[in-house]
Amino acid sequence: MKTIYSSAHRAHHAGSELFGNKVVPCYEQPARIDAILAQVVAAKIGPVLEPKDFGRSPITAVHTPDYVDFLEHAWQQWCAAGGEGNAVCSCRPMPDMSRRIPTSIYGRLAYYSFDSTAPITAGVWSAAYAAAQSALTGAQLLLQGERAAFALCRPPGHHASSAYLGGYCYLNNAAIAAQSLVADDMTRISILDVDYHHGNGTQSIFYARGDVQFVSIHADPNEDYPLFLGHAEEVGVGRGVGYNVNLPLPRNTEPQRWFETLEVACEQVIRHRPDALIVSLGVDTYEHDPIASFKLRSADYLRLGQRLAALGLPTLFVMEGGYNLDAIGVNVANVLLGFDAAPAVKARSIAG
């Protein structure tokens, strides 16, 4: 399996964040990807490729042009306005407030942010742009006939919607890859999100569409981030009704129940009869993850990879969360090794 990786991710590092009631070193840091890459190489999973550059058009096919322009130029505008340190929004527009885009960089930070966990740094645009290109390169590999590819993206993407950032995410890499496959005549795509946190941004982007299915296993949003999306009754609207599947689980979920839920998710994917599968791969479901509570163990990720391979679909893994630096490399590599070790099979389908 080919891995797509860009060292441009190192240009972005928030440094610290507010977690609970304490300021701590940011959990989303360059060392995460360095650890994964080292394990991918050590496990001899396959060649590591630089991403190709597909330009801005595939990005603006998912994100609004004004949001992309903001993200590209926000750091320079922040500095020009006298801002010091990372740029973080300090207010949030509420439903009864004006939705006019402010001219002030401080106002635009609020307009395009849903929380304060994704600050604008000097290197955020180059890192996010490279991550999106990595996902697009992986999608192209599927179009060229590869069974699977791994886009080692950083920053992650599944909390970013078409016009807002948050949750460490700026550009929605999985959504950009999915849209690129649709543009290349794949009529049905499934996105399976196995990150601990609900992919609210991915859901929002495809919520009214029936061609891209979104299935997510995640922590109950009544208890965990992102709090305002991810409930089971959110099933899509219009043409998207039935194509959004949320499978929330309580805190401290054990592997047996998690894998039972994975079976439900896989059956939903099979019903959609997709041309390809995109996996938003978060390993913050690990038992010792510092910001999550599920109880998966390192060996469980081999099983996850094997189950995904049994779907028999061209599969693009897109890196999302996972914050235990001691285990993240092993856990991600185990998913890929489990997938590669499983025999290639033809996809089965369920009528209806």
Side-chain angles (χ1 to χ4, degrees):
M1 185 188 308
K2 294 182 174 70
T3 294
I4 307 96
Y5 162 83
S6 171
S7 61
H9 80 90
R10 294 198 184 99
H12 168 63
H13 186 14
S16 61
E17 64 175 298
L18 180 64
F19 185 74
N21 61 355
K22 296 180 179 179
V23 175
V24 299
C26 190
Y27 290 108
E28 203 299 285
Q29 56 180 278
R32 297 174 58 246
I33 303 307
D34 294 338
I36 296 169
L37 181 64
Q39 193 64 37
V40 165
V41 172
K44 299 180 180 179
I45 288 170
V48 178
L49 311 178
E50 286 280 335
K52 296 181 179 180
D53 189 345
F54 296 86
R56 288 170 56 110
S57 294
I59 297 174
T60 54
V62 167
H63 295 281
T64 62
D66 59 290
Y67 171 70
V68 176
D69 287 341
F70 160 78
L71 192 59
E72 182 176 6
H73 301 294
W75 175 255
Q76 291 81 4
Q77 293 169 358
W78 170 257
C79 293
E84 296 182 4
N86 296 332
V88 179
C89 67
S90 58
C91 64
R92 199 87 70 242
M94 299 305 290
D96 61 340
M97 293 181 177
S98 169
R99 295 301 295 175
R100 180 182 299 177
I101 302 176
T103 57
S104 160
I105 182 59
Y106 303 100
R108 287 199 298 278
L109 278 168
Y111 185 87
Y112 292 116
S113 303
F114 83 90
D115 67 17
S116 300
T117 66
I120 299 297
T121 68
V124 70
W125 170 251
S126 59
Y129 183 87
Q133 302 305 322
S134 295
L136 288 165
T137 302
Q140 185 186 63
L141 289 173
L142 298 193
L143 291 168
Q144 293 171 347
E146 295 281 347
R147 179 191 181 205
F150 174 40
L152 184 45
C153 297
R154 181 182 174 270
H158 70 153
H159 294 307
S161 190
S162 60
Y164 63 71
L165 53 82
Y168 306 144
C169 301
Y170 303 87
L171 296 175
N172 195 311
N173 307 307
I176 291 167
Q179 181 59 40
S180 75
L181 292 174
V182 171
D184 273 294
D185 297 325
M186 284 194 175
T187 58
R188 289 172 179 257
I189 303 297
S190 288
I191 300 175
L192 174 58
D193 192 325
V194 297
D195 191 277
Y196 177 83
H197 304 95
H198 178 253
N200 57 289
T202 313
Q203 171 173 304
S204 297
I205 289 166
F206 297 113
Y207 202 60
R209 290 174 55 170
D211 54 345
V212 179
Q213 177 197 48
F214 179 64
V215 182
S216 179
I217 308 169
H218 54 270
D220 186 342
N222 284 309
E223 302 177 310
D224 267 294
Y225 188 92
L227 300 172
F228 301 107
L229 284 178
H231 300 281
E233 63 268 24
E234 297 161 12
V235 297
V237 295
R239 294 181 178 179
V241 171
Y243 296 98
N244 193 89
V245 181
N246 286 326
L247 302 168
L249 292 169
R251 294 182 65 83
N252 300 310
T253 290
E254 294 285 343
Q256 180 177 344
R257 183 169 180 185
W258 193 91
F259 278 98
E260 289 170 353
T261 307
L262 177 64
E263 284 304 309
V264 176
C266 288
E267 291 299 323
Q268 291 291 332
V269 170
I270 291 165
R271 288 182 183 276
H272 188 55
R273 302 190 298 275
D275 298 308
L277 173 67
I278 295 175
V279 179
S280 273
L281 180 58
V283 294
D284 42 3
T285 48
Y286 178 57
E287 60 181 336
H288 299 306
D289 194 275
I291 64 172
S293 74
F294 287 174
K295 302 301 182 183
L296 271 63
R297 300 163 181 86
S298 290
D300 292 320
Y301 295 102
L302 283 165
R303 180 180 173 188
L304 170 58
Q306 291 164 355
R307 182 62 187 95
L308 296 176
L311 291 170
L313 295 165
T315 301
L316 172 62
F317 294 93
V318 176
M319 194 65 216
E320 302 287 1
Y323 305 98
N324 184 303
L325 295 180
D326 294 330
I328 188 172
V330 169
N331 293 343
V332 171
N334 278 355
V335 175
L336 307 180
L337 289 168
F339 188 97
D340 271 349
V345 296
K346 292 186 69 173
R348 67 184 182 94
S349 64
I350 296 176

